[in-house]
Amino acid sequence: MIFDVLTLFPEMFDIFSYSIIKRARDNNLIRLNIYNIRDFTTNKHRKVDDYPYGGGAGMVMQAEPIYNTVDYVKNIYGYKPYTILMSPKGEVFNQNISKELSNINHVMLICGHYEGIDERIMPLIDREISIGDFVLTGGEIACMAIIDSVSRLIPGVLSSNESFEDESFYSGLLEYPQYTRPEEFRGMKVPDVLLSGHHENIRKWRRYESLKITYKRRPDLLKKIDLSNEDMKMLEDIKNRKKEK
């Protein structure tokens, strides 16, 4: 999969020179190309912003440098990649969107900055995405989160499907508790079921714990997934136990 990133701060993406994403890049599972928007300005000062028409605080990114950068990318490939704008006005990113994007072979992400971007770039945009209802200095951190999330779903990036299929949000639920050695630490013991070697009992325990923690912390998620008959019984037990306390 190819990620093309348009940004004013390419050095921020050095974070992808480490860990899982670095390994995926080394193995040619993903390609990450970073383009500095300032390199595509037409003025000697590499200016990319100006005062907003109508007045107001802050500066607005100009449309021309972004169009020039996109044209450069289009000339490389012969087409415009699926283009995403990091924007607080966009749909809120979640695991389902991550899955959708992982099935697109080539994605271009544009990172905004300052008070916004000239609205005339919108003909270039296929989708606007936000990572939450809060304010960031620019789109770079949001862009990194999306690249990281999507990359994990690309076959071969992680060691096995279990590495992401059991994680929080992949199945629509929060993840069950995890334990490792030693069996007892400062008086806290690993649940006996995880030491039993009984795979079906372990599966049921993990599902029950996922349902329990989701019910407690993010009950809204339960309305968005299809619950099996087994899930419904577990959830009923969880609710009854809560009432008894």
Side-chain angles (χ1 to χ4, degrees):
M1 182 172 182
I2 303 172
F3 296 99
D4 287 319
V5 177
L6 279 57
T7 175
L8 296 176
F9 301 96
E11 61 275 7
M12 292 181 68
F13 291 85
D14 287 348
I15 192 172
F16 291 130
S17 296
Y18 304 92
S19 190
I20 291 172
I21 305 301
K22 179 185 185 302
R23 188 174 68 234
R25 295 176 70 184
D26 290 344
N27 292 331
N28 295 316
L29 296 171
I30 66 171
R31 286 169 54 191
L32 178 61
N33 305 308
I34 311 296
Y35 299 95
N36 189 341
I37 297 170
R38 292 186 190 278
D39 292 340
F40 298 89
T41 57
T42 56
N43 65 84
K44 64 180 180 180
H45 299 296
R46 303 177 80 206
K47 185 177 174 62
V48 296
D49 63 328
D50 212 326
Y51 295 104
Y53 278 120
M59 305 290 278
V60 175
M61 286 183 68
Q62 297 171 311
E64 185 183 39
I66 294 174
Y67 269 89
N68 291 344
T69 314
V70 171
D71 286 343
Y72 180 83
V73 174
K74 287 168 60 178
N75 287 335
I76 292 174
Y77 300 107
Y79 62 88
K80 182 182 76 67
Y82 186 80
T83 304
I84 297 170
L85 174 65
M86 302 296 101
S87 168
K89 295 182 288 186
E91 59 186 309
V92 178
F93 187 69
N94 58 32
Q95 190 67 19
N96 285 333
I97 295 175
S98 186
K99 292 177 186 176
E100 288 179 40
L101 297 181
S102 71
N103 291 314
I104 300 175
N105 292 328
H106 193 171
V107 174
M108 180 162 60
L109 304 106
I110 300 176
C111 303
H113 212 73
Y114 308 118
E115 288 300 312
I117 303 179
D118 191 307
E119 185 70 14
R120 288 169 290 188
I121 72 159
M122 294 312 297
L124 299 173
I125 307 303
D126 296 304
R127 194 169 197 169
E128 291 183 79
I129 293 180
S130 166
I131 61 167
D133 298 333
F134 51 88
V135 179
L136 295 171
T137 303
E140 283 77 15
I141 292 175
C143 181
M144 292 175 201
I146 290 172
I147 291 173
D148 188 273
S149 176
V150 172
S151 294
R152 295 170 63 84
L153 301 178
I154 296 170
V157 170
L158 299 183
S159 57
S160 71
N161 286 342
E162 289 183 359
S163 294
F164 62 77
E165 288 181 351
D166 286 339
E167 291 177 336
S168 289
F169 302 112
Y170 186 82
S171 66
L173 299 176
L174 301 183
E175 189 181 11
Y176 50 79
Q178 296 276 18
Y179 298 87
T180 189
R181 295 177 180 175
E183 292 182 18
E184 183 174 345
F185 175 72
R186 296 192 178 185
M188 296 175 283
K189 297 182 178 180
V190 175
D192 291 338
V193 65
L194 299 180
L195 306 174
S196 68
H198 195 296
H199 297 297
E200 179 60 12
N201 287 348
I202 292 172
R203 182 196 68 79
K204 288 181 179 180
W205 180 88
R206 286 175 168 170
R207 187 66 177 181
Y208 186 95
E209 292 298 316
S210 285
L211 287 164
K212 184 170 70 173
I213 196 169
T214 303
Y215 175 73
K216 180 180 178 181
R217 300 183 184 179
R218 291 291 306 275
D220 57 296
L221 296 176
L222 296 171
K223 300 175 183 179
K224 301 176 183 179
I225 62 172
D226 293 326
L227 297 172
S228 66
N229 290 333
E230 180 185 63
D231 290 336
M232 295 298 290
K233 291 178 181 178
M234 289 181 177
L235 197 55
E236 188 64 28
D237 183 71
I238 291 166
K239 292 178 180 178
N240 289 336
R241 289 174 182 269
K242 183 178 181 181
K243 291 177 182 178
E244 291 172 3
K245 291 184 177 181

